[in-house]
Amino acid sequence: MPIEATLGSIGRMNQTVEPSHHHLPAAFMRRLRRILPADGLLQKSTEVAAYECDGLPVYRARPRAVALPRIAAEVGQVLALCAEYQVPVVARGAGTGLSGGALPHPEGIVLSLARMNRILALDPDNRTARLEPGVRNLAVSEAARSHGLFYAPDPSSQIACTIGGNVAENAGGVHCLKYGLTTHNILALKFFDADGALHEIGGPTGEWPLDLAALLTGSEGLLGVVVEATVRLWPKPPSTVAYLAAFRSLEAAAASVSEVVALGLVPAGLELMDGLALSAAQAYTGIAYPEGSAAVVLAEVDGDDLTVALEGERLRAIFTAQGAFAVEQAVSDEDRRRLWLGRKSAFPAVGRLAPDYYCMDGTIPRRSLVAVLTEIGELSRRYGLPVANVFHAGDGNLHPLILYDAAIQGQLEQVEALGADILRLCLVHGGTISGEHGVGVEKLDGMCAQFTAAELATFHALKSAFDPHHLLNPGKAVPTPARCVEAGGMHVHGGHQPFPHLERF
Amino acid sequence: MPIEATLGSIGRMNQTVEPSHHHLPAAFMRRLRRILPADGLLQKSTEVAAYECDGLPVYRARPRAVALPRIAAEVGQVLALCAEYQVPVVARGAGTGLSGGALPHPEGIVLSLARMNRILALDPDNRTARLEPGVRNLAVSEAARSHGLFYAPDPSSQIACTIGGNVAENAGGVHCLKYGLTTHNILALKFFDADGALHEIGGPTGEWPLDLAALLTGSEGLLGVVVEATVRLWPKPPSTVAYLAAFRSLEAAAASVSEVVALGLVPAGLELMDGLALSAAQAYTGIAYPEGSAAVVLAEVDGDDLTVALEGERLRAIFTAQGAFAVEQAVSDEDRRRLWLGRKSAFPAVGRLAPDYYCMDGTIPRRSLVAVLTEIGELSRRYGLPVANVFHAGDGNLHPLILYDAAIQGQLEQVEALGADILRLCLVHGGTISGEHGVGVEKLDGMCAQFTAAELATFHALKSAFDPHHLLNPGKAVPTPARCVEAGGMHVHGGHQPFPHLERF
């Protein structure tokens, strides 16, 4: 069964890779120290330990050193120095990524952009902000609030995660259904390439024959290190109302989401939580969901008062027609905050139900929601592993959370197999193995399943064009051909064609 | 004045480049004929003549042959054959491009996708369409109409231009202010690389570490040949109303556009026509504009009835406050069609005012509209060359039309100089040298002004990664370093920084 082989190696490392005994050259370290501020170079193992993983802690590695520049010029100099000595560099924001994209290289350095956290300009006339990469996502909206503006992409980690990391991962969020992903909100980027040469790409308007800004966004640190992003700000809508619709079955909730989208409504958010996620959130936050809810759909509409009233009524009518037994409405900021709190804290809440959980990330066409959720439920029963579903239903972006206990012998392997089955489901339904959490180290084998050898070769050629010696985040996001062969390389293309490879499962 | 040197070489060719006496190898031609349908290979000079230019006829070159495949597999085979014999290939849709992107290579072949014009699938549930590259833009919306859907990007040439060309140029249109450019409406692409290897990229949802679909879109045929695009369809809004606001000065009209955007309104279209464009359109179409109009702003709002009514009233209030002396409203399809007819036929209408006209394309931040239009007026007077302005004001995308007579000795050179001055204005105000018409052959020197040597080197590396022997549309879109040196290479970066290079003008 080659699909298990290609999709099944999540979590395999689950232990810290110690740095090898091969030290970085003394001259390199001396020059690195000279580039950086006095407190800008960490080498002691106690200091470096904090950087050995990101939000996917089953993968760990200790870097040789951590560089903490304060200004863009230092970043360029660090990269030029690393190129000279052929030292691998892993750029890092807040380390909240969920696919191991910021996992250090044991022979290299971590380049933390966390101290470059200034908002360089806010331009309300053109509704843009110029940001250093270490600016926290939520800080942008906070700074823009007094101008009646906000920054739209809002990943769950928005209190902590940084704009640089958001660009590297093309972060989404609850509101991306209406306002787009990070890539749709980036107007210009400044980045250094692997040689330390500065590139300034994009502008307030206009387009280029080769859209490097779109290419850099989501490139997981493979192509360059972003030192400045100009982002689009949106006018804060005069009115916002959130709805919670409670259903007696997960299938009915999923069907209502498909119906909302099919009828042409584009709410600012459209999320689904299943029964397990609800009980976890209720226990964690104290929020009471309607008694007997097997699943709830959360939706938000924003705009002018009349639009909001009208769309809200249409939403309510759809939910009711699809079998919702209760539809609640939250108008005040406080009520809406409470309504979303359960959703935003669902991951940690579910995390309390079991010693460990594994957060999956895949996509499917929205019309397949009911079928895929039903099949995930069957898989969960077959494996005997609980799966909670909390996700961006409007985008067809699933986040099944598999609950397990790593201390039980063999259970991690079971989780891997179940995870592979869930991603296989996504591919079979014409979806993808990654929605918004990136590939990192976690989904390298999945890339073999998703792409042909020719396509992977193009990815490699592209990587080499920017970084010929593969010093920028090496080994991430794009698997080597050898790895794909070893993993039993095969691919399944999504989309609307028939699936010629299905019989190979 | 290096900026004139770098921006000033438009229209230099203005004559047909004849194919050299060096013929393509007989074996190549024989194999090419075998790949293609019986009527799919043109070689006679009378047949080939129709392909010697696109919508920028000052550049002309005759290809050795024109290949007209009917299915995707033939495209792959043609590309593999061209790679084997190292024959340059220029892909072509309807040839409506305005920057010479489809100008043939005199030693190569034209690969016309015009006969691959099938709509492969319409999926109303997921609101997508799967299209061959030769499908006409307008045909997509026509086919989607019965499902209550439409395809949003609508360049002026939409009756003729094709989806493949739209992807190559990242086409915009009147409605892209609200619905995005082509790149925002492409969900998946199938393309062949320079070796004839098929790539399938993207899907209904999801993202990749390297967003090849975004990279291909707008890449002007440098990276691959698209044989299938899956595009997003939008629900046709239940209500649409168009407005025409007439002003006694161009500056007031421009200021009203800035105000609409600053107040957070996002009309489906927001266009401006100046007095010269109005009188041309009036003479050409018979549409009567309000007496005494120095400029008009056209705006369209769509959505639910109430939204449309509300936004319409806000628009009317802004126009009136900004000095509009008349605001007309068009509700019925017929009235709206008439209202837009003047805008859509403005280019040919202006074309009747003088023997020749040159359509510029640049962008500026929207807050600079008044200043830039005023300066363009002054430049027009100084050069003694009339300039009509018809453009996507809401996007800050200018299309000044310079009227001239190529038969008058030296006048083309004057047009070149004025054009360079106008693009310089765009750069100085933080804009760009290309909005939506692409670089092609027309703006190669402008690219030297816009980008640094390091950035251009990255573009070249990227091109080489996809097409190592530079067989795909060679010589277009990205200038060689030698050309930039010869042109007095310099660059001016847009954006919100101060302009350190200004003193070098």
Side-chain angles (χ1 to χ4, degrees), chain A residues 307-349:
Chain A
T307 310
V308 166
L310 193 77
E311 289 196 357
E313 280 320 298
R314 289 180 65 189
L315 273 182
R316 185 187 286 275
I318 293 168
F319 291 141
T320 305
Q322 297 289 320
F325 68 90
V327 181
E328 296 177 0
Q329 178 175 331
V331 176
S332 75
D333 280 359
E334 175 54 23
D335 285 352
R336 278 192 295 116
R337 201 192 56 75
R338 272 184 65 79
L339 190 145
W340 283 113
L341 180 64
R343 165 65 183 89
K344 293 207 171 182
S345 55
F347 286 14

Side-chain angles (χ1 to χ4, degrees), chain B residues 267-422:
Chain B
L270 190 58
E271 302 279 309
L272 195 152
M273 296 171 72
D274 73 4
L276 187 53
L278 289 176
S279 52
Q282 190 153 336
Y284 186 71
T285 63
I287 294 169
Y289 293 100
E291 182 92 24
S293 300
V296 304
V297 173
L298 302 172
E300 191 165 283
V301 290
D302 62 18
D304 285 310
D305 292 352
L306 283 171
T307 311
V308 166
L310 193 79
E311 289 196 359
E313 279 321 296
R314 289 179 65 187
L315 273 181
R316 185 187 287 276
I318 293 168
F319 290 140
T320 305
Q322 297 288 319
F325 67 91
V327 181
E328 296 176 358
Q329 180 177 330
V331 176
S332 74
D333 280 359
E334 175 54 24
D335 284 354
R336 279 192 294 118
R337 201 192 57 77
R338 273 184 65 79
L339 190 145
W340 283 113
L341 180 65
R343 165 65 185 89
K344 294 209 171 180
S345 56
F347 287 15
V350 169
R352 302 208 310 180
L353 299 181
D356 299 287
Y357 73 90
Y358 187 73
C359 173
M360 309 289 301
D361 172 46
T363 74
I364 53 170
R366 287 169 297 214
R367 64 171 166 192
S368 304
L369 273 175
V370 176
V372 171
L373 289 175
T374 305
E375 291 180 71
I376 289 177
E378 283 164 16
L379 286 170
S380 165
R381 278 185 293 279
R382 198 188 313 155
Y383 279 91
L385 291 166
V387 176
N389 285 290
V390 187
F391 61 97
H392 308 310
D395 299 303
N397 185 186
L398 304 178
H399 291 316
L401 297 161
I402 306 173
L403 306 186
Y404 71 106
D405 183 352
I408 297 174
Q409 182 75 27
Q411 196 158 75
L412 180 58
E413 287 68 30
Q414 285 296 99
V415 171
E416 289 178 25
L418 172 52
D421 274 347
I422 290 174

Side-chain angles (χ1 to χ4, degrees), chain B residues 139-158:
Chain B
V140 185
S141 289
E142 285 167 355
R145 187 177 300 146
S146 63
H147 301 286
L149 300 170
F150 74 106
Y151 178 63
D154 57 345
S156 298
S157 56
Q158 69 179 142

Side-chain angles (χ1 to χ4, degrees), chain A residues 126-127 169-170 199-200 205 207-209 218-219 261 304 307 310 363 367 395 432 435 455 458 462 493 497, chain B residues 126-127 169 199-200 205 207-209 218-219 261 304 307 310 314 363 367 395 432 435 455 458 462 493 497:
Chain A
N126 284 305
R127 297 210 302 261
E169 300 291 328
N170 190 17
H199 290 61
E200 302 182 39
T205 54
E207 35 113 60
W208 312 112
S219 65
V261 174
D304 287 310
T307 310
L310 193 77
T363 74
R367 64 171 166 189
D395 299 304
T432 65
E455 289 157 358
T458 298
L462 200 53
H493 262 298
Q497 323 100 288
Chain B
N126 283 305
R127 296 209 304 261
E169 300 290 329
H199 290 60
E200 302 183 39
T205 54
E207 35 115 59
W208 312 113
S219 66
V261 174
D304 285 310
T307 311
L310 193 79
R314 289 179 65 187
T363 74
R367 64 171 166 192
D395 299 303
T432 65
E455 289 157 359
T458 298
L462 201 52
H493 262 298
Q497 324 99 289

Side-chain angles (χ1 to χ4, degrees), chain A residues 23 111 189 284 304 310 337 376 385 404 442 497:
Chain A
H23 281 284
L111 179 58
L189 291 177
Y284 186 70
D304 287 310
L310 193 77
R337 201 192 56 75
I376 289 177
L385 291 167
Y404 71 107
E442 179 201 12
Q497 323 100 288

Side-chain angles (χ1 to χ4, degrees), chain A residues 88-145:
Chain A
V89 187
V90 176
R92 178 186 169 105
T96 55
L98 293 169
S99 57
L103 177 75
H105 190 288
E107 303 295 334
I109 67 165
V110 163
L111 179 58
S112 166
L113 286 314
R115 291 185 184 170
M116 289 176 58
N117 60 358
R118 291 176 302 164
I119 295 176
L120 300 170
L122 254 176
D123 178 349
D125 284 349
N126 284 305
R127 297 210 302 261
T128 60
R130 245 178 357 106
L131 310 168
E132 286 190 332
V135 173
R136 286 180 308 108
N137 174 295
L138 195 58
V140 185
S141 288
E142 284 167 357
R145 186 177 298 146

